Amino acid sequence: MRDEAFNKNDIDGSFFREALSKIGHYRNVKHFVLAYDCIRFFVRENIILKKIYTAREYKADYFVCQMAHGDTDVMLGLSGNIEAMLYLAGCVAEEQFDVINEDAYDAMCEFVNLANGKYAAFLEEEGMDMDVVVPMCCENCQITANGNFCILTLLVNGKELDIISVVDLIPYMT
């Protein structure tokens, strides 16, 4: 059942273990585990794991991401419902945001930097050389890759937040 959605309703055991057995993509799932740990650190409550699925493209009204290059290519991105993104940004910055502005983007960039940095460190422990680049933001963009990448959908404070993991592929943004 590779390249199909894994939904929370499918769970028999651990969410991430079950997702791995259904969609494969070990490195992406490990990326999600580290990102989820970072979200739990900042948000602490009101987080529900919803689904993991694969895609070749993703449209985003608001997108924050960071790439790492070296022995492989990696990108971690955030998108989804604007309220979920603002809630996460507020938890990271310890202030409330009502609109996506420079400060909200900075907080979300700080989050992806932390989560992606943890993943790059994991890869380096596995013997890979990685260089993490500066996070970036874009609006109304489409993300594609030269193969399937993975998307983890969470409910954060009741709204959908997508974490995009592109590992071992080259992502493109237009």
Side-chain angles (χ1 to χ4, degrees):
M1 284 183 37
R2 297 209 189 290
D3 302 330
E4 294 181 11
F6 168 73
N7 293 294
K8 177 126 174 92
N9 295 335
D10 298 334
I11 294 177
D12 294 325
S14 162
F15 180 87
F16 292 110
R17 185 174 44 252
E18 289 295 317
L20 181 59
S21 73
K22 298 238 179 179
I23 68 168
H25 297 270
Y26 167 77
R27 286 186 172 178
N28 296 88
V29 173
K30 180 66 176 181
H31 209 186
F32 289 145
V33 167
L34 294 171
Y36 180 69
D37 284 346
C38 292
I39 284 180
R40 285 188 2 201
F41 175 80
F42 288 109
V43 176
R44 294 194 171 100
E45 59 187 12
N46 300 323
I47 309 166
I48 297 172
L49 294 159
K50 188 171 178 186
K51 66 181 174 181
I52 292 178
Y53 62 99
T54 60
R56 287 191 174 269
E57 61 182 34
Y58 181 91
K59 281 190 160 195
D61 293 332
Y62 298 96
F63 188 63
V64 178
C65 69
Q66 182 182 52
M67 295 185 208
H69 305 288
D71 290 337
T72 190
D73 290 298
V74 173
M75 181 186 76
L76 181 74
L78 286 178
S79 189
N81 180 283
I82 190 170
E83 291 175 39
M85 293 180 76
L86 290 170
Y87 187 78
L88 175 60
C91 290
V92 171
E94 297 181 345
E95 65 179 271
Q96 184 175 339
F97 295 107
D98 297 321
V99 295
I100 298 278
N101 59 25
E102 188 175 326
D103 292 336
Y105 272 135
D106 283 348
M108 288 183 279
C109 286
E110 187 63 33
F111 172 81
V112 296
N113 185 48
L114 176 65
N116 211 34
K118 283 184 154 208
Y119 187 68
F122 162 77
L123 291 176
E124 287 177 346
E125 288 173 9
E126 299 284 309
M128 301 180 100
D129 288 325
M130 299 299 297
D131 291 315
V132 178
V133 299
V134 175
M136 61 176 275
C137 310
C138 62
E139 296 180 9
N140 302 314
C141 63
Q142 182 162 327
I143 298 90
T144 58
N146 57 343
N148 281 343
F149 53 91
C150 294
I151 301 160
L152 167 63
T153 301
L154 307 169
L155 291 179
V156 176
N157 204 30
K159 305 293 181 184
E160 287 190 355
L161 178 72
D162 290 334
I163 301 175
I164 295 91
S165 171
V166 182
V167 178
D168 300 328
L169 302 171
I170 299 171
Y172 303 95
M173 287 179 277
T174 54

